[in-house]
Amino acid sequence: MNETTKRTKRRRNWKKPASFIAFVGPAFLAFVAIVLIPFFNGIYYSFTDWNGVTGELNFVGLDNYHRLFFEDEQFRASFWITTKYTLVSVLLTNIVGFSLALLLTMNIKTRNFLRTIFFMPNLIGGLILGFIWQFIYVKGFASIGALTGWSLFELPWLGDAQTAFWGIVIVAIWQGGGYVMVIYIAALQNVPTDLMEAARIDGANRLKMLRHITLPMIMPSITICLFLTISWSFKVFDTNLSLTNGGPFKSTEMLALNIYTESFVNNNYGLGSAKAVIFFLVVAAITVTQVYVTKKREVEA
């Protein structure tokens, strides 16, 4: 091997790591600065009594975590209402999104227009969406109830704990249903038509084809949609803040809003950081378990 060939080979060997660093390096530095450093700072602050304003802080050990589990009733109440909201919202959002996807993969002339209409709510920011629906619940429903006399529209939608909870759920489904619909449509379009035709010739009805062919074939999309909706539901903040602000009497205060209030309203950043750490561990454990279980179903399919 001559000297020119050796130099060319050395340059090629250097080009690969240099290209990798050039493309990945800036993104990695941004990730470290925006995600990793604040994350580990938050863990550190969870063991202190810092108020988030002054530079004075004291190490208090596990006192913040002790307060969470044994003294902070509102945190436990927020954890329960968030869990309840997540179960209902994840189930209904996926059912609505999948149903819309089934409908809009049929031979309907206006299906492209309808796909756009159903996806559009996802483009509206959560704060704006909350204020829009607050107006609908308070003014719009009251006007419809006065005109029609229907008791459904005369309910205190944001003034009662039960109806306020369902008011947030309705907004979540309205916003997220169109997004998961797009994912399900992409999956349904990839189901082999010859397989469906063979099942139809063999006498399988729509329900059997849905259960034994369609659902197993789109399990990867179900995994993604479940992961996304669980993450959205646990971390809901903007619509909770703008729609009810945790009311009435903190009956709809989700975990993210509870952490925000503790840290930036009550100026108890140490305790708020401890809540955020517990929140992170719970969400991570649930999402990892969900992905593991649904991935196993993909393998079986």
Side-chain angles (χ1 to χ4, degrees), residues 29 94 100 107 169 171 190 195 207 209 219 282:
L29 290 176
N94 280 279
L100 290 174
N107 191 19
V169 170
V171 175
N190 288 324
L195 188 62
L207 186 60
M209 287 191 293
M219 274 306 297
V282 170

Side-chain angles (χ1 to χ4, degrees), residues 147-169:
L147 290 172
T148 62
W150 293 350
S151 58
L152 176 68
F153 295 103
E154 295 175 346
L155 294 172
W157 275 95
L158 301 181
D160 181 75
Q162 292 296 324
T163 52
F165 170 81
W166 285 105
I168 299 173
V169 170

Side-chain angles (χ1 to χ4, degrees), residues 26-45:
F28 177 74
L29 290 176
F31 177 76
V32 169
I34 297 172
V35 178
L36 287 185
I37 292 176
F39 175 74
F40 287 111
N41 277 342
I43 294 175
Y44 169 71
Y45 289 135

Side-chain angles (χ1 to χ4, degrees), residues 43 66 109 126 176 225:
I43 294 175
H66 181 273
K109 289 183 179 180
C225 290

Side-chain angles (χ1 to χ4, degrees), residues 261-277:
T261 303
E262 192 69 61
S263 300
F264 302 109
V265 177
N266 299 339
N267 289 331
N268 199 342
Y269 199 89
L271 184 60
S273 296
K275 291 182 177 183
V277 170

Side-chain angles (χ1 to χ4, degrees), residues 68-69 72-86 165 168 230-241 244-247 250-266 268 271-284 286:
L68 292 186
F69 289 109
D72 197 332
E73 294 183 5
Q74 184 55 45
F75 178 74
R76 294 195 295 271
S78 295
F79 190 91
W80 160 243
I81 194 69
T82 305
T83 303
K84 178 183 172 183
Y85 167 81
T86 299
F165 170 81
I168 299 173
I230 289 172
S231 178
W232 294 340
S233 300
F234 264 110
K235 296 187 299 182
V236 62
F237 172 76
D238 41 12
T239 51
N240 188 201
L241 176 67
T244 65
N245 198 22
K250 292 187 177 295
S251 60
T252 61
E253 186 180 74
M254 308 289 181
L255 272 175
L257 183 58
N258 179 263
I259 294 169
Y260 167 82
T261 303
E262 192 69 61
S263 300
F264 302 109
V265 177
N266 299 339
N268 199 342
L271 184 60
S273 296
K275 291 182 177 183
V277 170
I278 297 298
F279 186 33
F280 166 77
L281 293 175
V282 170
V283 174
I286 291 173

Side-chain angles (χ1 to χ4, degrees), residues 57-128:
L57 71 162
N58 300 305
F59 187 80
V60 296
L62 297 174
D63 284 359
N64 289 328
Y65 294 95
H66 181 273
R67 287 178 61 184
L68 292 186
F69 289 109
F70 299 104
E71 298 177 20
D72 197 332
E73 294 183 5
Q74 184 55 45
F75 178 74
R76 294 195 295 271
S78 295
F79 190 91
W80 160 243
I81 194 69
T82 305
T83 303
K84 178 183 172 183
Y85 167 81
T86 299
L87 291 172
V88 175
S89 178
V90 168
L91 180 64
L92 294 181
T93 300
N94 280 279
I95 289 175
V96 169
F98 183 69
S99 301
L100 290 174
L102 280 177
L103 176 66
L104 297 180
T105 48
M106 296 178 181
N107 191 19
I108 302 174
K109 289 183 179 180
T110 58
R111 62 183 180 181
N112 290 332
F113 173 75
L114 292 173
R115 289 175 186 178
T116 305
I117 293 298
F118 289 132
F119 182 77
M120 280 181 64
N122 188 72
L123 303 177
I124 305 174
L127 284 172
I128 298 173

